Amino acid sequence: PKNKVGRNKNAASPETVELVRELAQGWPDRYIAQILNRIGSRTGWGNGWSETRVKSFRGQHGIQVFAAGSVRAWMTMEEVAKELEVN
């Protein structure tokens, strides 16, 4: 079978695209690369993730960059602990 337009055998999975889209709402590229590597995700070519690769990936898929100081839709565990005054 032929590839769909704009797709090839080295394209990243749709799940990866959605994960990066979700993570980009609250984290910089360097942190996203760390998360993707930690869960064992690979680029379409089978490489590990780097800040540069995440930046390029976002550009290819039209995903906006996270701006420092922006409001996230969620809180980190540290932020929640501080809010609840627990360790």
Side-chain angles (χ1 to χ4, degrees), residues 24-27 65-74 79:
Q25 294 177 13
W27 306 108
V65 65
F66 171 72
S70 297
V71 177
R72 291 190 303 263
W74 63 87
E79 292 168 342

Side-chain angles (χ1 to χ4, degrees), residues 9-87:
K9 66 179 182 169
N10 297 320
S13 69
E15 293 82 17
T16 302
V17 175
E18 286 306 311
L19 180 58
V20 171
R21 181 169 288 150
E22 182 75 21
L23 291 171
Q25 294 177 13
W27 306 108
D29 294 340
R30 189 177 98 237
Y31 189 75
I32 293 171
Q34 291 172 354
I35 292 172
L36 293 172
N37 287 324
R38 194 173 302 133
I39 65 172
S41 178
R42 295 283 176 205
T43 66
W45 290 93
N47 297 319
W49 290 93
S50 67
E51 182 176 0
T52 304
R53 287 184 177 138
V54 172
K55 181 178 179 181
S56 175
F57 186 83
R58 281 190 309 90
Q60 292 169 358
H61 295 280
I63 301 171
Q64 294 294 318
V65 65
F66 171 72
S70 297
V71 177
R72 291 190 303 263
W74 63 87
M75 298 172 74
T76 66
M77 288 194 314
E78 290 177 2
E79 292 168 342
V80 171
K82 186 181 286 186
E83 183 78 22
L84 297 174
E85 299 178 355
V86 296
N87 291 331

